[in-house]
């Protein structure tokens, strides 16, 4: 399988890039498209559709094909994968029946491919990505290869979209099911945020609403460990600082901890809502602000994937949390460069609102502040 990455900030630029990519006879069948809401995604999708290319698309908080992060652009990975080896599914979940919808998609994929692997994009900030993954696991088994991310909207956090040929939704999912006997798909989700302090107990929570840790309001104990000042509703930078630098690290019996940043504060009781569930009685640790080791751990995780499971790849796709670039700033390019150099093949990626994948040694889960790198190779 051959892959090529193209980018542009307008329909015309993408049209030129697509034309140049096919001058040597390259004939793509699949496009993984990460497009800012500021760019005309419908026009670009129509362009790809007219070229006979099936589209898997998400809106973003930033996008890239190489080591330089972009804003307000389209980053597209073109693949000439055999059309018999994949199928794109598109479904909405207006009743918030995430597991039911993904279960139904997985059943269709299982009927088409004996051993399907999945590539997933979700829209709507309320979507429970873990329910999506559980629906797939129920059909395809716990060892299924499933990766993806939640669409963004240039950090507005109001309305995100997934899209494919002639369809888009701000409350749905797009999914590529691949025949794993024909296309190898392997990935790794790595965070790198270091923990600080001893394990604490979540003494009161309800789903993703965390009230107290060690019987102390979660906002207060987070501020204490982070040395945060001006912890008031008037501090417009407080939430970004908590989410990007001081996430809760949900401890797991199996595998690496899962990041659960506080995203919305209830000032009545100093509780906050996190990106995913934090069960009452679970153990958490607090985080240190990121440093160079954060990037090094991600690159080493990808290098280990190559060394142990995926010696060669035809292309790679990256879902990197929007919070990472907020924390790392210009240093983010170093991480992307390190990831790109592992296989030195065409790459496309986005800064996402959440990441879906399997942490090192762990289960399929929804992540934050994490980089999920997925490698593809046609057998």
């Amino acid at each position: 399988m051959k892959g090529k990455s193209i980018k542009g900030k307008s329909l015309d630029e993408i049209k030129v890039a697509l034309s140049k990519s096919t001058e040597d006879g390259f004939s793509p069948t699949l496009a993984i498209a990460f497009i800012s809401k500021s760019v005309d995604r419908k026009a670009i999708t129509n362009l790809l559709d007219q070229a006979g290319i099936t589209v898997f698309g998400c809106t973003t908080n930033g996008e890239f094909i190489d080591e330089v992060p972009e804003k307000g652009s389209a980053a597209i990975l073109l693949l000439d994968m055999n059309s018999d080896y994949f199928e794109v599914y598109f479904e909405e979940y207006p009743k918030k029946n995430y597991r039911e919808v993904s279960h139904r998609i997985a059943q269709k994929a299982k009927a088409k491919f004996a051993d399907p692997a999945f590539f997933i994009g979700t829209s709507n900030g309320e979507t429970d990505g873990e329910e999506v993954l559980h629906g797939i696991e129920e059909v395809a088994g716990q060892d299924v290869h499933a990766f993806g991310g939640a669409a963004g909207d240039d950090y507005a956090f109001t309305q995100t979209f997934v899209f494919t040929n002639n369809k888009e939704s701000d409350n749905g999912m797009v999914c590529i099911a691949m025949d794993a006997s024909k296309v190898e798909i392997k990935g790794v989700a790595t965070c790198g945020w270091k923990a600080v302090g001893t394990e604490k107990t979540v003494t009161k929570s309800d789903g993703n609403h965390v009230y107290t840790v060690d019987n102390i309001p979660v906002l207060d104990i987070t501020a204490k460990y982070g040395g945060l000042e001006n912890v008031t509703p008037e501090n417009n930078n407080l939430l970004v600082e908590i989410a990007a630098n001081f996430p809760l690290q949900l401890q797991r019996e199996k595998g690496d901890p899962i990041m659960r940043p506080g995203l919305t504060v209830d000032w009545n009781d100093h509780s906050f809502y996190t990106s995913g569930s934090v069960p009452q009685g679970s153990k958490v640790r607090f985080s240190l602000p990121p440093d160079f080791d954060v990037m090094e751990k991600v690159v080493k995780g990808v290098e280990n994937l190559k060394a142990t499971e995926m010696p060669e790849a035809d292309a790679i796709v990256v879902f990197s949390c929007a919070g990472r670039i907020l924390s790392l700033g210009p240093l983010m390019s170093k991480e992307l460069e390190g990831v790109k150099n592992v296989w030195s093949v065409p790459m496309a990626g986005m800064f996402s609102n959440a990441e879906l994948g399997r942490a090192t040694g762990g289960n399929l889960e929804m992540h934050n502040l994490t980089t999920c790198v997925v490698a593809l190779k046609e057998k």
Side-chain angles (χ1 to χ4, degrees):
M1 177 173 65
K2 189 173 183 179
K4 292 188 179 184
S5 298
I6 62 173
K7 67 178 181 179
K9 294 201 170 188
S10 67
L11 173 64
D12 289 341
E13 288 184 11
I14 292 296
K15 188 178 295 185
V16 170
L18 177 63
S19 178
K20 287 183 177 179
S21 74
T22 57
E23 287 177 349
D24 60 356
F26 176 58
S27 182
T29 57
L30 177 63
I32 297 174
F34 300 128
I35 304 178
S36 164
K37 283 180 68 176
S38 66
V39 179
D40 191 343
R41 63 184 176 276
K42 290 184 179 180
I44 292 174
T45 302
N46 288 339
L47 172 69
L48 296 169
D49 184 64
Q50 290 167 11
I53 302 170
T54 302
V55 177
F56 166 101
C58 299
T59 55
T60 70
N61 297 307
E63 48 289 319
F64 50 89
I65 64 169
D66 293 308
E67 68 275 12
V68 180
E70 300 279 356
K71 293 180 180 179
S73 71
I76 302 172
L77 177 64
L78 301 169
L79 301 169
D80 66 353
M81 189 185 299
N82 188 318
S83 296
D84 293 333
Y85 297 170
F86 73 91
E87 188 75 33
V88 172
Y89 300 98
F90 184 90
E91 292 256 8
E92 294 187 300
Y93 29 68
K95 298 179 181 179
K96 298 185 178 182
N97 52 337
Y98 313 115
R99 186 186 294 229
E100 178 186 336
V101 169
S102 64
H103 187 281
R104 186 162 60 240
I105 287 175
Q107 285 181 317
K108 293 178 182 178
K110 188 71 174 175
K112 186 174 180 65
F113 306 121
D115 181 20
F118 297 87
F119 206 81
I120 306 157
T122 65
S123 63
N124 193 312
E126 295 183 4
T127 298
D128 189 331
E130 293 191 348
E131 283 290 283
V132 170
L133 291 171
H134 292 330
I136 289 173
E137 281 184 315
E138 287 172 353
V139 176
Q142 289 191 342
D143 294 329
V144 63
H145 294 292
F147 306 95
D153 57 358
D154 300 314
Y155 295 99
F157 299 108
T158 54
Q159 188 178 36
T160 63
F161 288 89
V162 293
F163 52 93
T164 185
N165 307 60
N166 304 310
K167 297 177 184 177
E168 71 168 37
S169 175
D170 63 354
N171 193 30
M173 64 181 286
V174 61
C175 175
I176 308 173
M178 302 180 196
D179 184 348
S181 70
K182 301 295 185 181
V183 181
E184 191 169 10
I185 173 171
K186 296 287 179 68
V188 61
T190 311
C191 178
W193 260 241
K194 291 181 179 179
V196 63
T198 58
E199 283 190 352
K200 309 293 182 185
T201 302
V202 177
T203 44
K204 184 180 180 182
S205 68
D206 181 11
N208 68 330
H209 191 178
V210 182
Y211 294 91
T212 61
V213 173
D214 281 358
N215 295 312
I216 301 170
V218 65
L219 177 62
D220 297 346
I221 195 170
T222 300
K224 174 186 173 183
Y225 270 86
L228 300 176
E229 299 179 352
N230 190 20
V231 183
T232 65
E234 291 73 33
N235 183 355
N236 295 327
N237 296 321
L238 179 66
L239 277 180
V240 171
E241 188 168 9
I242 288 175
N245 293 330
F246 302 105
L248 297 177
Q249 297 198 15
L250 179 61
Q251 305 300 297
R252 296 301 202 196
E253 292 183 8
K254 176 184 176 183
D256 288 351
I258 304 301
M259 299 300 107
R260 290 290 184 254
L263 301 178
T264 303
V265 170
D266 185 337
W267 290 100
N268 292 315
D269 55 12
H270 284 206
S271 62
F272 58 53
Y273 292 84
T274 64
S275 59
S277 61
V278 180
Q280 187 165 301
S282 59
K283 301 295 184 179
V284 295
R285 294 180 71 187
F286 292 95
S287 299
L288 288 171
D291 56 20
F292 284 104
D293 290 348
V294 167
M295 295 175 287
E296 291 174 0
K297 185 172 181 180
V298 167
V299 176
K300 286 179 180 177
V302 179
E303 289 173 342
N304 183 64
L305 178 66
K306 179 182 180 180
T308 59
E309 298 186 56
M310 198 78 167
E312 296 181 350
D314 294 327
I316 58 175
V317 181
V318 181
F319 293 91
S320 185
C321 183
R324 293 184 74 86
I325 193 168
L326 290 177
S327 295
L328 300 173
L331 295 176
M332 191 70 215
S333 62
K334 296 292 184 182
E335 178 174 299
L336 297 180
E337 182 179 18
V339 170
K340 177 72 181 285
N341 289 342
V342 172
W343 286 283
S344 296
V345 295
M347 174 176 87
M350 65 176 278
F351 292 106
S352 48
N353 279 354
E355 301 72 55
L356 306 176
R358 196 183 304 277
T360 305
N363 301 316
L364 281 179
E365 295 185 271
M366 184 173 75
H367 304 269
N368 284 97
L369 297 170
T370 293
T371 295
C372 180
V373 178
V374 188
L376 303 169
K377 182 171 178 58
E378 196 168 318
K379 297 181 180 178

